[in-house]
Amino acid sequence: MEIIIENVSMADEEFHQLISGETGDALRQTAKNYLGSQGHTENELARLKAAGGAEYEELRRAMTDHAIEVVSLPPTDWHIRMDIDFDGGKKA
């Protein structure tokens, strides 16, 4: 299971600087820790993602908000969204 950081509205260069360094690593690890603290298994998360809908979107929002808060990103860097990937980040 991988955590993907998506660019919502940042400049491409700024986004890549954010996610490629220690901050990106910290965001991903914090998001994984959040999911673990919620008691979800990887299989449950995969089913929830496959089903889609409001429950999965709320989980994504909560995971993103938690990671941003814990890592203490400045408001100018809040233009990201996080997702869960079960294919190792492979592109279709």
Side-chain angles (χ1 to χ4, degrees):
M1 177 177 78
E2 299 292 326
I3 301 297
I4 305 299
I5 302 173
E6 300 173 341
N7 186 359
V8 174
S9 62
M10 294 177 80
D12 285 343
E13 185 176 320
E14 183 181 10
F15 173 72
H16 288 291
Q17 287 177 356
L18 174 72
I19 67 166
S20 64
E22 291 179 15
T23 302
D25 292 343
L27 286 166
R28 289 181 194 90
Q29 187 59 53
T30 302
K32 280 187 175 184
N33 291 346
Y34 175 81
L35 293 172
S37 75
Q38 299 302 301
H40 295 293
T41 67
E42 193 167 323
N43 287 335
E44 289 171 335
L45 292 169
R47 282 192 298 271
L48 191 61
K49 181 175 182 173
E55 186 177 2
Y56 182 70
E57 289 305 316
E58 174 59 25
L59 177 66
R60 285 183 67 188
R61 185 197 58 74
M63 175 180 66
T64 299
D65 290 349
H66 175 78
I68 286 171
E69 182 179 319
V70 170
V71 175
S72 300
L73 286 185
T76 55
D77 291 341
W78 290 358
H79 305 285
I80 60 169
R81 182 174 55 198
M82 302 179 93
D83 200 4
I84 306 165
D85 182 67
F86 297 97
D87 295 323
K90 295 177 187 169
K91 299 286 182 193

